[in-house]
Amino acid sequence: MHKADILDAVRERATRRRGGIAAFDHLSPRKTALIVVDLQEGFMGEGQVAEVPMARAIVPNVNRISAALRAAGGIVVYLQHTMDAQAIRTWSVFFEHFCGPEHRTRMIETFAPGGTGHALWPELEVAPLDLVVLKRRFSAFVPGSSDLHARLQERGIDTLIISGTLSQVCCDSTARDAMMMNYKVFFIADACATLTEAEHGGAISAMAHTFCDVRDTQSVLSLIAGAPAKDSPAV
């Protein structure tokens, strides 16, 4: 996992603003969703066009959180980065200006539904009742990206746990938008991954500054386990 930490200046500033780096002291599992961002073949397979080697290392932590949250009554959502005809038509600025022709072709071939890299990574422990949501932007919450917000609202979800890749792109943008849509958001530093320590450190520092409660896996597992009995599933 990444070794980068929240910048000291951010810790100091956040502590002055809210009394500590943590934003929340508890969560309600039944109102919580683990969001697993883009842990797909195209980001995780060796030699794939968008390979993030560190993303393979976070899978055990993602699986630990998903198992604990399911058992406590929460839900798990897997987002799939998707480059289909709708995405290409409605997000032309990205496809025409941020991808060269060769890279654009490879990315579309990889992340189109049925493409070589669109499928979820096989080492993820996906359960039958988990949700799988197609995502056509970096953030899952902007218009035109997905129906994630509607599906969460149908289930009474008000808290999100963010994991996946890339820390400073899809994880970051999804977490930012979620907080501004009034979700309580936990960003799990050792369950998110990107290409360099500097990029990961910048992402978790930005999240901790204003948008999320940045935690590690063991810390969020303790919050799930320590939820009041009224928040636990009936036996």
Side-chain angles (χ1 to χ4, degrees):
M1 267 68 72
H2 288 291
K3 300 185 185 305
D5 199 358
I6 299 165
L7 293 170
D8 289 342
V10 171
R11 286 186 178 276
E12 293 168 6
R13 197 175 304 126
T15 298
R16 289 198 304 270
R17 287 178 173 180
R18 58 182 183 253
I21 195 66
F24 312 112
D25 60 5
H26 70 281
L27 60 77
S28 173
R30 285 184 171 274
K31 296 180 179 180
T32 300
L34 170 65
I35 309 297
V36 183
V37 180
D38 299 353
L39 293 188
Q40 299 161 259
E41 292 273 3
F43 288 106
M44 302 179 73
E46 292 186 15
Q48 285 279 6
V49 62
E51 180 187 1
V52 182
M54 189 65 77
R56 295 189 286 269
I58 66 172
V59 171
N61 282 346
V62 173
N63 286 337
R64 289 172 66 201
I65 299 168
S66 65
L69 187 60
R70 280 192 214 100
I75 66 170
V76 180
V77 182
Y78 296 91
L79 301 180
Q80 285 181 291
H81 188 62
T82 300
M83 293 185 170
D84 58 6
Q86 178 180 335
I88 297 164
R89 184 182 69 255
T90 59
W91 201 18
S92 58
V93 168
F94 172 72
F95 286 100
E96 293 175 10
H97 297 279
F98 289 85
C99 295
E102 181 180 351
H103 184 72
R104 178 170 61 241
T105 298
R106 291 187 64 199
M107 289 290 285
I108 292 170
E109 290 174 348
T110 298
F111 290 106
T116 57
H118 191 255
L120 296 175
W121 185 242
E123 294 179 22
L124 291 168
E125 295 172 357
V126 183
L129 294 181
D130 293 346
L131 304 180
V132 179
V133 175
L134 301 184
K135 176 175 68 64
R136 296 179 175 88
R137 300 287 191 279
F138 296 148
S139 168
F141 289 105
V142 297
S145 180
S146 79
D147 62 353
L148 177 62
H149 179 59
R151 296 174 76 172
L152 295 175
Q153 292 301 290
E154 288 171 357
R155 293 162 173 81
I157 299 298
D158 66 12
T159 302
L160 306 183
I161 300 170
I162 303 293
S163 64
T165 200
L166 278 68
S167 305
Q168 82 281 18
V169 185
C170 294
C171 296
D172 176 308
S173 58
T174 295
R176 286 173 188 260
D177 287 347
M179 180 270 189
M180 290 187 285
M181 294 175 70
N182 211 36
Y183 290 95
K184 290 173 279 188
V185 184
F186 293 87
F187 197 96
I188 311 305
D190 60 354
C192 291
T194 189
L195 294 164
T196 67
E197 292 296 310
E199 289 166 295
H200 186 72
I204 61 174
S205 294
M207 294 296 96
H209 185 273
T210 305
F211 298 99
C212 303
D213 190 330
V214 176
R215 303 252 179 171
D216 62 17
T217 295
Q218 190 54 56
S219 177
V220 79
L221 289 174
S222 295
L223 287 179
I224 294 169
K230 65 183 177 63
D231 291 326
S232 300
V235 178

